[in-house]
């Protein structure tokens, strides 16, 4: 198969022929049709954060069809359309049973991130229990971006406990934020989006945000937009000191701050403000296997607009990564991993 190999941190990926993966008895091989790329891939490329053993195949947002299955796999047949859930965990694990797989500290791997090759390739081998069927009517590229962006956004909106009529601030409208704006709207919230460029703010409005502004305008504009009260909830999908400061300025007494994005930044917040305003600080990481299926179901029901704004062939993966790094990608850039095939 053709695959894009990470052979050295800080160097371009190498697209070349490698041996096809051999499924074990409980594994399936998926023919990959689409694979999303995002900021985590840039961190991997730079050797910042996760440092998998090399050579490694990145790609943690993939979709495709069943190519072949191991001898003990009963559920899937060739041609079935699937997405893999990224967190590889043993079914005996308590975090598996409580459907909070992403909190397990003892993961066998995270597809395309560490311990398990991902979808920047024509074929992907995963344990069969990782797979979720793609509902009818969803294109591979759109299904793929649910594996991380859609899943993370749905989980964050759940953690936010948004109720109809509430106002939610969403800081950062990239892939996760584009889904978060839409899921928050579905939850009945009025959404205010925060982004740097007018192009992104315009996109946020198209996705359902009632208003959009730059981070510098939060302190001045949020009181006007909320009758002086502040927002019920702020979702921080950026995770810098500045974005957290924006959340703290924006939330009303009793408000919730959901922290989804993170960077090396640390935050400081007044203990008095936290206590006396009964603020809630809520972390959110990715989501569960169930939430992946639920996010796909919302899209299948026609309630979510596509966030895929760019595509590139697998062979052009380095150009695609450079385009993402340049900040020119509006939503998600998705690799077409089948384009070179006859
Ligand atoms: Zn990601």
């Amino acid at each position: 198969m053709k695959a894009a190999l990470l052979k050295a941190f800080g160097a371009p990926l190498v697209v070349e022929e490698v041996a096809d993966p051999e499924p074990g008895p409980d594994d399936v091989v998926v023919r990959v049709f689409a694979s999303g790329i995002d900021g985590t891939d840039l961190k991997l490329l730079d050797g910042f954060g996760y440092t998998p053993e090399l050579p490694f195949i990145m790609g943690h947002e993939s979709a495709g069809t069943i190519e072949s299955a191991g001898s003990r796999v009963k559920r899937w047949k060739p041609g079935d359309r699937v997405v893999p859930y990224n967190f590889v965990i043993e079914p005996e694990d308590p975090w598996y049973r409580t459907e909070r797989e992403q909190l397990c500290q003892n993961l066998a791997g995270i597809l395309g991130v560490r311990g398990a090759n991902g979808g920047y390739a024509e074929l992907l081998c995963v344990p069969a229990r990782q797979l979720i069927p793609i509902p009818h009517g969803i294109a591979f590229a759109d299904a793929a971006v649910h594996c991380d962006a859609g899943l993370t956004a749905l989980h964050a909106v759940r953690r936010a406990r948004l109720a109809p009529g509430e106002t939610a601030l969403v800081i950062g409208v990239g892939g996760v934020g584009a889904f978060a704006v839409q899921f928050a709207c579905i939850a009945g919230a009025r959404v205010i989006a925060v982004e740097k460029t007018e192009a992104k703010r315009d996109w946020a409005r198209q996705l359902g945000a009632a208003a959009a502004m730059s981070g510098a305008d939060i302190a001045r504009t949020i009181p006007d937009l909320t009758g002086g009260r502040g927002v019920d909830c702020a979702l921080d999908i950026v995770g810098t000191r500045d974005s957290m400061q924006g959340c703290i300025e924006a939330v009303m007494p009793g408000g919730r701050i959901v922290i989804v994005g993170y960077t090396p930044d640390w935050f400081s917040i007044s203990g008095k403000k936290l206590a006396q305003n009964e603020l809630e600080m809520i972390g959110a990481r990715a989501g569960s296997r169930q939430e992946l299926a639920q996010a796909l179901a919302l899209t299948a029901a026609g309630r979510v607009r596509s966030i895929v704004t760019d595509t590139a062939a697998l062979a052009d993966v380095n150009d695609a990564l450079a385009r993402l790094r340049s900040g020119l990608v509006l939503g998600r850039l998705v690799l077409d991993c089948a384009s070179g095939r006859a």
Side-chain angles (χ1 to χ4, degrees):
M1 67 168 180
K2 197 184 287 170
L5 299 180
L6 176 59
K7 292 190 168 182
F9 297 111
L13 302 182
V14 180
V15 180
E16 62 183 20
E17 283 291 327
V18 298
D20 288 357
E22 288 284 338
D26 297 310
D27 297 336
V28 289
V29 174
V30 175
R31 183 160 288 280
V32 181
F33 281 82
S35 212
I37 74 175
D38 72 5
T40 297
D41 296 314
L42 298 180
K43 288 179 188 168
L44 275 163
L45 209 53
D46 296 343
F48 166 73
Y50 297 104
T51 48
E53 271 183 51
L54 304 184
F56 185 71
I57 303 173
M58 308 195 305
H60 58 279
E61 285 190 337
S62 306
T65 58
I66 303 289
E67 180 80 2
S68 61
S71 58
R72 285 203 292 259
V73 177
K74 298 282 183 283
R75 179 173 175 195
W76 305 103
K77 61 180 191 308
D80 285 349
R81 288 158 32 95
V82 292
V83 290
Y85 175 71
N86 286 326
F87 296 87
V88 183
I89 179 174
E90 295 302 325
E92 298 76 29
D93 194 292
W95 293 112
Y96 186 93
R97 297 197 300 267
T98 53
E99 291 184 3
R100 298 182 88 181
E101 297 98 320
Q102 73 276 23
L103 300 187
C104 174
Q105 303 298 303
N106 200 19
L107 290 166
I110 307 175
L111 295 182
V113 176
R114 64 174 170 81
N117 279 327
Y120 285 14
E122 291 177 320
L123 299 171
L124 168 68
C125 184
V126 292
R129 66 176 184 278
Q130 299 301 119
L131 297 180
I132 302 282
I134 302 173
H136 188 71
I138 304 182
F140 286 116
D142 288 316
V145 298
H146 284 67
C147 294
D148 183 21
L151 170 68
T152 302
L154 184 66
H155 183 65
V157 167
R158 284 257 171 78
R159 298 278 290 159
R161 309 192 310 274
L162 290 174
E166 287 193 330
T167 299
L169 189 73
V170 175
I171 302 186
V173 188
V176 175
F179 273 115
V181 166
Q182 300 187 77
F183 291 148
C185 289
I186 290 171
R190 183 173 67 120
V191 175
I192 302 169
V194 176
E195 257 298 349
K196 281 198 200 81
T197 67
E198 186 48 39
K200 285 239 180 190
R201 291 194 288 268
D202 191 49
W203 193 51
R205 289 184 204 102
Q206 288 173 36
L207 295 171
M213 67 182 72
S214 77
D217 290 336
I218 289 176
R220 185 172 54 82
T221 311
I222 289 295
D224 288 346
L225 289 171
T226 59
R229 283 157 45 90
V231 300
D232 298 273
C233 180
L235 289 100
D236 185 357
I237 304 174
V238 176
T240 59
R241 198 173 312 174
D242 284 349
S243 62
M244 177 52 64
Q245 190 56 38
C247 291
I248 294 166
E249 284 166 1
V251 290
M252 65 171 69
R256 288 105 57 201
I257 297 173
V258 180
I259 302 136
V260 188
Y262 63 92
T263 65
D265 283 8
W266 287 62
F267 315 129
S268 62
I269 176 169
S270 148
K272 183 181 174 195
K273 179 162 185 167
L274 200 56
Q276 301 239 312
N277 284 352
E278 294 200 349
L279 298 183
E280 293 183 53
M281 306 287 274
I282 303 166
R285 180 192 200 193
S288 69
R289 177 184 323 243
Q290 281 307 312
E291 285 169 324
L292 175 54
Q294 288 157 354
L296 284 163
L298 281 170
T299 294
R303 303 189 67 183
V304 183
R305 280 179 61 158
S306 174
I307 68 150
V308 177
T309 54
D310 292 75
T311 54
L314 176 62
D316 300 326
V317 61
N318 288 306
D319 289 344
L321 286 159
R323 219 152 88 209
L324 177 67
R325 201 188 288 275
S326 72
L328 292 175
V329 178
L330 191 60
R332 254 308 189 256
L333 197 166
V334 174
L335 294 176
D336 176 354
C337 297
S339 63
R341 219 164 47 232

